[in-house]
Amino acid sequence: MAGPALVSQLWSLLDEMAENEPEAYRRFQRQQRAEAERLCAPPEPHLCLRARPTGVVGRQLFINICGWKRVPAPKAPTDPTPVSAGPLEEVSGEGDLYSIIDIAYNPDVLQRGEENPEKMEHLIHLTLKFVQERCNLILSDLYTIESFKLKGSLEMMQQRLKGRQIPTPHLSQNTKKELTLDQLLHTMEAEDCSNVPVLLKDENVTHSKGHLIEEISSTEMPEKLSTPVYEMITVKDTNKTPLKFELKIELPKVSSVSECDLQISKDDIIIEVPEKYKLQLDLPELVDEETTTAVFNKGKRVLFITVPVAKPDL
């Protein structure tokens, strides 16, 4: 659950946007509704493959290939294909022992396969390679597309794909807080129902690395960003004890606070504007993130941040 400070700041940012940028506020609402629908849509079965692991007598492997809006589509035809996978499970039923794994792609990827049989065959080939590497199996080149779309129950398939959830961040003192509208809303989500996606690389396309599977990094290396001009003042009491830090950051290329990503921890501040600026400052004192405030002056295009020094534990 989000703390009162984050909730208060969220409403403050929304009020500011509604008052100063009504069209942007309406656009933001539409985007959030569309994103909520995408994130909450469950995976749907598309087709079922029956594969044959070598070296395992009589054991069959069923691969449920599903469409899931939560999985992003590749941005370009030559880009790796994102995929999400559930665990490999052994099932005993009606005297037979077999295995099931669920694989999910963006529905657009599967639709392109339906429109072009060669693309579907290629996607199945990549899927088999992915399952082999992920599950440490050796599969026969022979496979069968079953007449049914799903092996097992719909509910169990959806549970398996949603099973390894990314936990909602706990807002402890050591957790960095995302203070933009988008990051605040993501922090306040009650549930994140995705597996961590991976990328399927087409070995027929030249890439810097030859691996079939590459984990998507949450901290991808960005392009070189400019360091904005800034000024930090330490406000002290009569005993020259630091009380707070006042930070002034000039952002001439920024027109709205919604463009800024602000992260604050006990000992540093990171401000990033995608494709424009990045500033990381180590703070000389431990600070109180809960009472930090940030105000963006649209006219001067300057961000003012006030960071109170944390009170020592008694």
Side-chain angles (χ1 to χ4, degrees):
M1 294 294 291
L6 285 180
V7 175
S8 176
Q9 186 158 3
L10 172 62
W11 285 113
S12 176
L13 289 170
L14 286 171
D15 289 343
E16 178 185 345
M17 179 181 284
E19 181 178 353
N20 299 325
E21 303 174 77
E23 182 56 37
Y25 178 71
R26 287 190 289 270
R27 185 168 60 252
F28 173 79
Q29 286 183 311
R30 291 193 295 268
Q31 290 172 347
Q32 290 302 316
R33 280 195 292 268
E35 182 71 2
E37 291 177 359
R38 184 181 72 84
L39 295 180
C40 295
E44 297 292 340
H46 186 80
L47 64 83
C48 181
L49 300 177
R50 176 158 49 91
R52 297 169 179 81
T54 61
V56 184
V57 179
R59 181 73 60 84
Q60 297 185 96
L61 170 64
F62 292 92
I63 304 173
N64 292 322
I65 296 182
C66 308
W68 197 5
K69 292 181 180 179
R70 188 69 185 260
V71 180
K75 295 180 180 179
T78 56
D79 284 353
T81 302
V83 58
S84 187
L88 179 68
E89 288 195 356
E90 292 187 356
V91 180
S92 177
E94 299 179 357
D96 294 329
L97 184 63
Y98 55 90
S99 300
I100 294 179
I101 188 169
D102 309 291
I103 305 295
Y105 295 100
N106 185 277
D108 290 345
V109 173
L110 298 176
Q111 182 60 36
R112 286 194 289 271
E114 290 296 326
E115 295 169 355
N116 187 327
E118 290 185 0
K119 287 185 177 181
M120 178 58 75
E121 183 178 355
H122 184 63
L123 183 64
I124 290 174
H125 170 73
L126 285 179
T127 302
L128 295 173
K129 290 286 188 182
F130 169 66
V131 171
Q132 285 190 116
E133 184 168 329
R134 182 184 183 87
C135 303
N136 195 26
L137 296 173
I138 299 176
L139 300 179
S140 167
D141 292 334
L142 300 176
Y143 65 87
T144 302
I145 298 178
E146 298 287 1
S147 58
F148 48 84
K149 293 184 177 181
L150 179 70
K151 182 67 173 180
S153 72
L154 179 64
E155 181 180 4
M156 290 301 297
M157 176 272 287
Q158 293 176 346
Q159 286 181 3
R160 286 190 296 264
L161 280 173
K162 295 177 182 180
R164 293 184 299 155
Q165 297 172 358
I166 300 170
T168 302
H170 295 289
L171 303 180
S172 64
Q173 290 184 342
N174 296 324
T175 302
K176 291 188 177 182
K177 309 241 182 351
E178 307 292 339
L179 300 178
T180 63
L181 280 174
D182 288 341
Q183 297 298 335
L184 277 169
L185 285 169
H186 289 176
T187 299
M188 294 172 64
E189 286 178 354
E191 179 184 15
D192 186 336
C193 55
S194 73
N195 282 336
V196 178
V198 298
L199 299 179
L200 292 187
K201 286 190 172 184
D202 184 348
E203 59 268 35
N204 295 324
V205 180
T206 301
H207 293 286
S208 58
K209 295 183 180 180
H211 301 298
L212 175 65
I213 305 170
E214 180 185 53
E215 296 284 347
I216 294 177
S217 171
S218 60
T219 55
E220 294 177 350
M221 293 298 293
E223 296 180 1
K224 183 72 174 177
L225 301 177
S226 300
T227 300
V229 176
Y230 71 93
E231 178 184 7
M232 186 166 69
I233 300 173
T234 303
V235 179
K236 302 179 180 179
D237 63 13
T238 53
N239 296 322
K240 296 187 177 181
T241 301
L243 295 177
K244 61 183 177 180
F245 301 108
E246 293 183 345
L247 186 59
K248 174 185 174 183
I249 307 166
E250 298 180 11
L251 303 170
K253 298 179 182 178
V254 176
S255 58
S256 170
V257 68
S258 62
E259 298 179 50
C260 303
D261 289 339
L262 173 59
Q263 304 177 30
I264 300 176
S265 73
K266 280 288 186 182
D267 54 11
D268 73 352
I269 294 179
I270 300 175
I271 301 100
E272 185 169 359
V273 181
E275 301 180 2
K276 296 178 183 178
Y277 301 110
K278 183 173 183 180
L279 174 65
Q280 180 170 358
L281 295 175
D282 292 326
L283 299 171
E285 304 281 346
L286 297 180
V287 299
D288 183 359
E289 318 102 299
E290 291 286 347
T291 57
T292 294
T293 59
V295 177
F296 182 68
N297 186 314
K298 289 184 61 178
K300 296 181 179 180
R301 301 197 176 188
V302 174
L303 181 63
F304 297 93
I305 305 173
T306 302
V307 190
V309 173
K311 295 180 180 178
D313 295 331
L314 300 178

